[in-house]
């Protein structure tokens, strides 16, 4: 072990040097001005502080940077970093104090002013002072109208308060100023916001406006499944059952892995249209296209059971159980069906055998962005406010189990 120590130390020094060099260069590019570099080099505190920052030791970084700031009290960025460190440590009051202090300085350049305000806005946001955070980010935009970081924070604050129209307008601005090539991502967000605006119109019983919003959402991003679901609901409400069926079928085609969200609606509307056989047809089509689709099997089994075809239904449920052993709904459906088949001992044995091999997972939906977990599929993460970021965590859960 001892022989590795010098090598390791050398590597760490190299890494730290690279990181510091990068930060140094970036600052130079951002503003074209640096405080007296000779002065900074005379004190080790600044470098030490950055070193501790890089190695993720915030207390020591604060200590060294505080010393560096007393040597060179003009160095704006040291106080910016210090304030941010306080915020990250949860000392929001101190962070606000430091950043407000920066704003009192005379002869601040426009960009310096904007950057200090941005940090202050982040302090307010993390302290839960929503109104003041909104005010600070808007102030940043008055100084620097294309500040993407301020725009994104402002958008999330509006979303937190369900101010969908305001969030929508800001996302449009982000799309204008943001890096090229992100258009699909912007459209996805805009489509989900349109869908929320449509739901708002529904609450006000304005079917026409709601339908226009849902249609617009689909035009922005054809994969926005909730917009299809809600548009179909409006069409049913307007007495247009055939249109609703077509809308939901379209939604199922663009998002087959989430088709189950439309099952109940489709089954009901097919019955209403006098063509109930279309439902099992759709289920079989989905199962053929995605062999691990357990929800399609459960839906088809339920449909068959209600028509007296219990044996066929049970086979489907057993297949579903293999793909999703923790699905309580599957176990319940199996027991109901077994009961209808007079608890045939051979079938009960087969069930016990299948369930015995099951691996159980909890909270199967996970946000890809922040790892927030949920028992159901959510379109908008309540934790990080990303749109459409949830996936079923079956693969990830299996991986975690391997790692242990
Ligand atoms: Zn999240």
């Amino acid at each position: 072990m001892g022989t590795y120590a010098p090598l390791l130390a050398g590597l760490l020094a190299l890494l730290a040097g690279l990181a510091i060099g990068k930060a140094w260069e970036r600052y130079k590019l951002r503003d074209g001005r640096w405080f007296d570099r000779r002065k900074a080099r005379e004190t080790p505190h600044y470098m030490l502080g950055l070193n501790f920052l890089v190695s993720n030791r915030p207390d020591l970084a604060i200590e060294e940077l505080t010393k560096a700031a007393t040597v060179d009290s003009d160095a704006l960025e040291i106080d910016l970093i210090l304030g941010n460190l306080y915020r990250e440590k949860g000392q929001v009051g101190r962070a606000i104090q430091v950043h407000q202090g920066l704003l009192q300085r005379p002869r601040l350049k426009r960009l310096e002013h904007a950057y200090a305000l941005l940090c202050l806005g982040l302090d307010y946001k993390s302290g839960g002072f929503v109104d003041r955070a909104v005010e600070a980010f808007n102030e940043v935009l008055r100084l620097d109208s294309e500040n993407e970081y301020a725009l994104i924070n402002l958008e999330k604050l509006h979303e937190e308060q369900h101010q969908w129209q305001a969030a929508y307008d800001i996302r449009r601005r982000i799309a204008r100023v943001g890096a090229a090539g992100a258009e699909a991502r912007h459209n996805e967000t805009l489509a989900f916001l349109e869908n929320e605006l449509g739901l708002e119109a529904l609450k006000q019983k304005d079917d026409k406006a709601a339908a226009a919003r849902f249609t617009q959402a689909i035009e922005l991003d054809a994969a926005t499944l909730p917009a299809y679901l809600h548009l179909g609901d409006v069409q049913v409400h307007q007495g247009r059952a055939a249109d609703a069926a077509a809308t939901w079928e379209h939604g199922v085609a663009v998002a087959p892995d989430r088709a189950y969200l439309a099952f109940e609606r489709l089954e009901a509307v097919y019955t209403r249209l006098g063509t109930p056989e279309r439902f099992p047809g759709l289920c079989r089509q989905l199962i053929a296209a995605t062999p691990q689709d357990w929800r399609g099997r459960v839906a088809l089994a339920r449909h068959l059971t209600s028509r007296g075809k219990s044996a066929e239904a049970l086979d489907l449920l057993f297949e579903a159980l293999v793909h999703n052993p923790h699905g309580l709904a599957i176990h319940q459906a199996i027991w109901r069906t077994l009961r209808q088949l007079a608890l045939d001992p051979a079938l009960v044995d087969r069930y016990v055998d299948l369930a015995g091999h099951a691996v159980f997972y909890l909270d199967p939906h996970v946000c890809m962005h922040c790892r927030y977990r949920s028992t159901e599929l959510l379109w908008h993460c309540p934790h990080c406010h990303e749109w459409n970021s949830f996936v079923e965590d079956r693969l990830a859960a299996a991986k975690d189990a391997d790692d242990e």
Side-chain angles (χ1 to χ4, degrees), residues 11-251:
L11 262 175
L12 277 177
L14 185 70
L15 277 175
L18 278 174
I20 292 163
K22 222 169 169 181
W24 193 288
E25 193 59 31
R26 204 163 114 197
Y27 176 75
K28 224 168 63 174
L29 285 176
R30 178 175 296 149
D31 204 16
R33 193 184 69 99
W34 188 258
F35 65 95
D36 187 345
R37 282 194 183 184
R38 275 161 305 175
K39 208 165 165 185
R41 280 179 187 150
E42 276 163 22
T43 139
H45 302 302
Y46 186 72
M47 287 300 225
L48 277 171
L50 286 186
N51 260 314
F52 286 130
L53 196 59
V54 169
S55 50
N56 204 12
R57 298 169 75 180
D59 290 316
L60 292 172
I62 286 176
E63 200 178 298
E64 294 301 332
L65 289 174
T66 305
K67 286 178 194 159
T70 52
V71 173
D72 186 348
S73 57
D74 280 344
L76 183 93
E77 66 289 340
I78 298 184
D79 276 340
L80 279 175
I81 297 172
L82 267 174
N84 290 347
L85 276 168
Y86 283 130
R87 183 181 64 243
E88 292 309 313
K89 274 175 51 102
Q91 300 179 4
V92 174
R94 276 191 96 163
I96 291 173
Q97 221 176 10
V98 170
H99 290 142
Q100 274 178 339
L102 282 177
L103 291 171
Q104 305 302 322
R105 288 195 184 185
R107 295 186 309 277
L108 272 187
K109 287 187 179 174
R110 198 179 174 88
L111 270 181
E112 290 171 340
H113 192 170
Y115 197 57
L117 266 169
L118 183 68
C119 291
L120 186 61
L122 293 172
D123 300 338
Y124 286 141
K125 190 180 173 209
S126 92
F129 307 112
V130 175
D131 292 344
R132 275 192 258 175
V134 168
E135 205 179 302
F137 292 132
N138 275 320
E139 197 65 38
V140 173
L141 291 170
R142 270 190 281 278
L143 293 163
D144 175 15
S145 65
E146 299 196 346
N147 192 311
E148 203 178 342
Y149 206 46
L151 284 169
I152 287 171
N153 276 289
L154 209 45
E155 180 196 37
K156 293 296 167 203
L157 284 170
H158 286 308
E159 285 179 1
E160 271 173 40
Q161 300 173 88
H162 292 195
Q163 295 162 343
W164 308 117
Q165 187 61 55
Y168 187 92
D169 295 341
I170 288 181
R171 176 51 61 167
R172 282 251 179 252
R173 277 177 77 177
I174 295 171
R176 276 203 301 276
V177 305
E183 201 181 325
R185 185 75 189 139
H186 295 313
N187 283 345
E188 186 189 27
T189 301
L190 287 169
F192 275 101
L193 289 166
E194 282 282 7
N195 178 61
E196 293 295 341
L197 288 164
L199 288 174
E200 238 165 39
L202 268 192
K203 264 189 225 150
Q204 286 150 18
K205 309 226 182 300
D206 188 345
D207 275 5
K208 214 177 136 201
R213 289 292 192 182
F214 298 136
T215 306
Q216 177 64 23
I218 294 166
E219 269 170 33
L220 277 163
D221 182 356
T224 318
L225 185 61
Y228 292 93
L229 299 177
H230 299 137
L231 178 60
D233 292 342
V234 174
Q235 288 165 330
V236 166
H237 195 234
Q238 293 172 329
R240 296 159 54 199
D243 289 339
T247 299
W248 290 327
E249 282 168 356
H250 192 185

Side-chain angles (χ1 to χ4, degrees), residues 260 263-264 267 270 276-288 293-320 330 333 337 340:
Y260 63 93
F263 281 166
E264 251 177 68
E267 199 173 9
Y270 286 149
E277 71 286 352
R278 283 163 77 186
F279 186 69
L282 177 83
C283 292
R284 286 185 211 284
Q285 209 182 311
L286 284 166
I287 296 164
D293 182 356
W294 61 272
R295 288 188 174 94
R297 288 187 173 85
V298 172
L300 180 54
R302 192 166 29 91
H303 185 87
L304 292 172
T305 308
S306 70
R307 279 155 181 77
K309 298 179 184 167
S310 301
E312 201 185 331
L314 191 64
D315 277 337
L316 283 163
L317 291 171
F318 282 163
E319 284 174 33
I330 304 176
T337 314
Q340 282 179 351

